[in-house]
Amino acid sequence: MTTPFDAPSTLPYALPPFEEVRLEHHRPAFDAGMAEQRAEVEAIATNPDAPTLENTLVALERSGQLLARVSAVFFTLSSADSSPELHDLEAEVSPLLAAHRDAITLDSRLYDRVRAVLDGAEAAGLEGEDLRLVQRTATEMTLAGAGLDDAGKERLTAMNQELSTLTTTFERNLLEDTNDLAVHVTDEASLIGLDDGAKSAAAGAAADRGLDGWLITLPLYTGHPWLASLADRDLRERVMRASLSRGRQGNAHDNRDVLLRIVRLRAERAELLGFPNHAAVVTADETAGTPEAVDGLLSSLVGAAAANADDERAVRSRTVGFDVEAWDWAYATEILRGEQFAADSTAMRPYLEADRVLRDGVFFAATALYGLKFAERPDLHGYNADVRVFEVTDEDDAPVGLYLLDLYTRDGKRGGAWMHPVVEQSALFGTLPVVVNNLNVAKPAAGSPTLLIQDEVETLFHEFGHALHGLIARTTYPRFSGTNVERDFVEFPSQVNEMWVSWPEVLANYAKHHETGESMPPELVLGLSDSAGFNEGFSTTEYLAAALLDQAWHRLSAAEAAAVTDVEAFERQALADAGIDVAAVPPRYSSTYFAHTFSGGYDAGYYGYIWSEVLDADTVEWFRDHGGLDRAAGRRFATMLLGVGGSKDPIEAFREFRGRDAEVGPLLRRRGLE
């Protein structure tokens, strides 16, 4: 079958021709792409010439272009615009792709050639990105099991295939259960506290499913942003309990057995590779190095965070006049925020219209810092009518890449927010980046403005930080393009970009009333600035609980993992042992809906957010000391950190940028943990 993937796209920036892609195109393209790459790798592995950078490592980088094209489109759709048929196909091809990757990574002939190039790197004069390509490839193949004997490789391949199926099942169960557990409301009086925009979005969600009334769809994390506004305590409890129950309903979407099997297989695989547990395998290829280093940071923060959260709960209980439970926390916090800072979230929303935040906030800061310019391209189309396409150029009008924004939630879209590339930047192939940001903002009825809450504004800036990493990096090899860095470093640029949310010059530019154009009133602006650090006990505690839960699951030995049969009991005990079982503050992600770690590539790596935040907080202080929203400061950050992608050791790059190693003090001050 001829498919749209057979040749590189002829659209600008090689944007995939999404409008031409049909369901039946994917499987033939996957089959052809895997066959093509197998032939390419076979030619490399059997090359009679002595191994060199060019005939082994660069040749390997050049392989698999058809597979890369179909994979980029398929996994974009399966995560953001899926269907039952697409999910079925994902379950079908995932184990095949896992086996295909293993066939390459575990090829002893290829591994021997890579090791030979590494051993001769100094004599060959390899340096910079070329040397890093050899080093990273050798490390990744070693940790993947390339040094195992044939029996070990056979067992490893079987485990990897099963894991690929299980993680796909976990994600599908979560999506289906999240859809099923959306809270249906038929009495408008229950929605007191929600503004017209939120109610319009809930009405639209209900109408999309053929229901009367309103539907409160659930985000990926525990809880819901509307819990801060809903005055009806019973409805708040319904929403929270629905959120917490995902993946553990005892129905077709129950994730508990899937989760336990994932944990056991990962532990068995680690043992096969010669490691005590899965966390040790993961951190061996991260900047942290060991699980003990991760535990050192996380455990050092637990005591102060939990104590702060306990104090915050007591204050909130006094504020509302009853004992605050998990479903009350956000509501009580908003009342307290209004009393202390005049920073009322509901009052802020009319000043946070999505398109203005994007153009006059997110893009404005990127132009001021990096000289980037953004022009919407209505002639170019994404994979859904809601996807917007922007061409990005530099200050000299030279092309930089394409930025796609998919803002709204829908039933076929997984929860949360993320960035991913659909075209990797690479000098090797002469390609510029095409990157996508996905959020899950409730879509209002036609004709109504999209008004964001503060958390959604921060999420947009955060995800755009990832997009900047993808857009600005200029590397030779696609392996190092953009966010292809060590997992516990990948959040660093995105977290830095959050600082511009409340930077006075940026905030004043985007925070304008969607009807009148008036600037946000000074008392709201002041309240927003003064409340920095407010509710940090809760925020730090819910994050640490999830990060420690991730570590607890993945620090089990194979024997220990086999002995765990009760997911809820294990979770309770793990949190208690860590000293982070704070009443009314559940983990940001509970085990059965912890997509980051059981289907999203952050397994044993969710700690990376706060690991990166040490660098982020230190960098924010550097920006404050160097003019803030300053072109020269932005140029240094872009050149020395964003621009190198994964082509350089990230800690070395940070050290050169900052002039020293990162210090933890700025993080402690930010989170009130000194």
Side-chain angles (χ1 to χ4, degrees), residues 34-57:
M34 287 186 282
E36 178 183 274
Q37 190 172 30
R38 281 196 300 271
E40 292 167 337
V41 171
E42 183 67 17
I44 299 169
T46 58
N47 188 337
D49 296 336
T52 65
L53 174 77
E54 189 65 34
N55 71 18
T56 300
L57 280 302

Side-chain angles (χ1 to χ4, degrees), residues 100-372:
H100 174 73
R101 287 191 294 269
D102 282 345
I104 296 172
T105 306
L106 303 181
D107 189 317
S108 298
R109 302 166 302 169
L110 187 63
Y111 185 53
D112 289 344
R113 292 183 69 87
V114 171
R115 294 292 309 180
V117 177
L118 179 63
D119 292 342
E122 184 175 356
L126 296 183
E127 59 184 8
E129 189 174 347
D130 290 341
L131 178 59
R132 179 141 169 99
L133 176 65
V134 183
Q135 293 171 333
R136 293 294 298 156
T137 304
T139 297
E140 290 166 8
M141 292 183 76
T142 300
L143 290 173
L148 295 174
D149 60 21
D150 289 343
K153 288 178 181 178
E154 184 177 353
R155 173 63 182 139
L156 184 70
T157 297
M159 286 192 286
N160 286 344
Q161 288 182 61
E162 186 178 354
L163 279 166
S164 71
T165 298
L166 289 165
T167 54
T168 299
T169 301
F170 186 96
E171 183 169 333
R172 182 172 187 173
N173 283 346
L174 176 55
L175 175 62
E176 298 290 348
D177 218 26
T178 299
N179 289 338
D180 290 350
L181 288 167
V183 178
H184 186 208
V185 179
T186 56
D187 182 5
E188 188 171 6
S190 300
L191 300 176
I192 291 174
L194 292 188
D195 61 23
D196 290 342
K199 287 196 285 189
S200 171
D208 287 344
R209 298 198 195 178
L211 299 173
D212 295 330
W214 302 263
L215 194 69
I216 302 177
T217 57
L218 301 174
L220 184 60
Y221 60 84
T222 301
H224 196 287
W226 293 349
L227 291 178
S229 305
L230 286 168
D232 188 318
R233 194 181 188 203
D234 289 340
L235 181 55
R236 293 201 304 268
E237 183 175 356
R238 281 181 62 198
V239 171
M240 178 59 78
R241 291 195 183 280
S243 178
L244 291 167
S245 68
R246 285 171 294 162
R248 59 181 88 209
Q249 290 294 294
N251 59 22
H253 310 311
D254 195 315
N255 260 336
R256 287 173 292 188
D257 288 343
V258 177
L259 181 159
L260 290 174
R261 184 62 179 156
I262 290 172
V263 169
R264 290 166 186 163
L265 280 172
R266 286 174 175 171
E268 289 176 30
R269 184 175 60 182
E271 190 173 87
L272 179 64
L273 292 170
F275 289 85
N277 52 57
H278 182 63
V281 180
V282 171
T283 52
D285 196 29
E286 307 291 359
T287 66
T290 65
E292 289 73 26
V294 174
D295 184 64
L297 175 63
L298 298 182
S299 61
S300 70
L301 306 176
V302 164
N308 286 356
D310 283 335
D311 290 344
E312 288 174 358
R313 187 189 185 202
V315 172
R316 280 149 184 74
S317 295
R318 289 195 297 271
T319 298
V320 295
F322 53 81
D323 288 339
V324 163
E325 302 293 348
W327 47 87
D328 303 313
W329 192 292
Y331 183 72
T333 296
E334 284 309 300
I335 293 174
L336 188 63
R337 190 194 307 272
E339 292 177 355
Q340 292 188 358
F341 306 110
D344 184 289
S345 294
T346 302
M348 286 182 183
R349 285 194 76 203
Y351 298 90
L352 302 177
E353 191 273 322
D355 193 60
R356 191 184 291 272
V357 172
L358 177 70
R359 294 181 182 277
D360 296 342
V362 173
F363 290 170
F364 172 76
T367 300
L369 283 165
Y370 310 118
L372 299 179

Side-chain angles (χ1 to χ4, degrees), residues 300-551:
S300 70
L301 306 176
V302 164
N308 286 356
D310 283 335
D311 290 344
E312 288 174 358
R313 187 189 185 202
V315 172
R316 280 149 184 74
S317 295
R318 289 195 297 271
T319 298
V320 295
F322 53 81
D323 288 339
V324 163
E325 302 293 348
W327 47 87
D328 303 313
W329 192 292
Y331 183 72
T333 296
E334 284 309 300
I335 293 174
L336 188 63
R337 190 194 307 272
E339 292 177 355
Q340 292 188 358
F341 306 110
D344 184 289
S345 294
T346 302
M348 286 182 183
R349 285 194 76 203
Y351 298 90
L352 302 177
E353 191 273 322
D355 193 60
R356 191 184 291 272
V357 172
L358 177 70
R359 294 181 182 277
D360 296 342
V362 173
F363 290 170
F364 172 76
T367 300
L369 283 165
Y370 310 118
L372 299 179
K373 294 182 284 189
F374 302 83
E376 191 153 12
R377 291 287 303 269
D379 58 312
L380 300 178
H381 304 288
Y383 47 87
N384 183 282
D386 285 336
V387 178
R388 302 169 66 184
V389 181
F390 297 85
E391 183 172 16
V392 187
T393 54
D394 67 16
E395 52 202 337
D396 297 321
D397 295 322
V400 171
L402 291 180
Y403 170 69
L404 280 61
L405 175 63
D406 187 355
L407 187 66
Y408 297 114
T409 190
R410 53 181 166 270
D411 284 352
K413 190 178 192 179
R414 67 176 171 89
W418 66 97
M419 168 271 183
H420 72 277
V422 291
V423 178
E424 301 268 22
Q425 177 275 325
S426 166
L428 185 67
F429 293 110
T431 52
L432 291 173
V434 178
V435 302
V436 184
N437 270 169
N438 269 278
L439 279 75
N440 266 282
V441 174
K443 187 176 182 179
S448 299
T450 301
L451 303 180
L452 306 179
I453 61 171
Q454 185 66 19
D455 183 65
E456 291 167 337
V457 174
E458 291 172 359
T459 299
L460 182 55
F461 273 83
H462 175 97
E463 296 304 330
F464 191 74
H466 287 306
L468 287 169
H469 203 179
L471 289 166
I472 291 176
R474 288 295 178 266
T475 60
T476 300
Y477 303 115
R479 171 185 293 265
F480 298 135
S481 173
T483 56
N484 292 327
V485 297
E486 283 82 344
R487 174 61 67 181
D488 57 5
F489 186 80
V490 74
E491 296 299 331
F492 163 60
S494 56
Q495 290 170 326
V496 169
N497 205 57
E498 290 181 43
M499 74 175 289
W500 309 115
V501 171
S502 57
W503 192 262
E505 184 180 353
V506 180
L507 180 63
N509 202 56
Y510 74 78
K512 299 181 185 294
H513 198 282
H514 70 97
E515 292 178 332
T516 66
E518 295 178 357
S519 297
M520 183 180 284
E523 63 272 16
L524 290 181
V525 173
L526 183 61
L528 183 66
S529 302
D530 288 349
S531 64
F534 179 71
N535 206 43
E536 276 297 343
F538 173 90
S539 299
T540 306
T541 297
E542 69 158 4
Y543 166 77
L544 288 175
L548 288 161
L549 194 57
D550 173 36
Q551 289 293 304

Side-chain angles (χ1 to χ4, degrees), residues 544-617:
L544 288 175
L548 288 161
L549 194 57
D550 173 36
Q551 289 293 304
W553 282 117
H554 291 118
R555 292 188 70 172
L556 295 173
S557 68
E560 291 168 337
V564 178
T565 58
D566 187 326
V567 171
E568 289 88 350
F570 178 86
E571 181 171 307
R572 287 193 299 270
Q573 190 61 51
L575 296 176
D577 290 346
I580 201 72
D581 55 338
V582 179
V585 186
R588 185 162 179 83
Y589 301 100
S590 190
S591 301
T592 55
Y593 54 90
F594 203 164
H596 283 76
T597 195
F598 292 114
S599 64
Y602 276 75
D603 40 298
Y606 191 65
Y607 77 89
Y609 285 93
I610 207 156
W611 189 269
S612 294
E613 194 179 345
V614 174
L615 307 177
D616 151 43

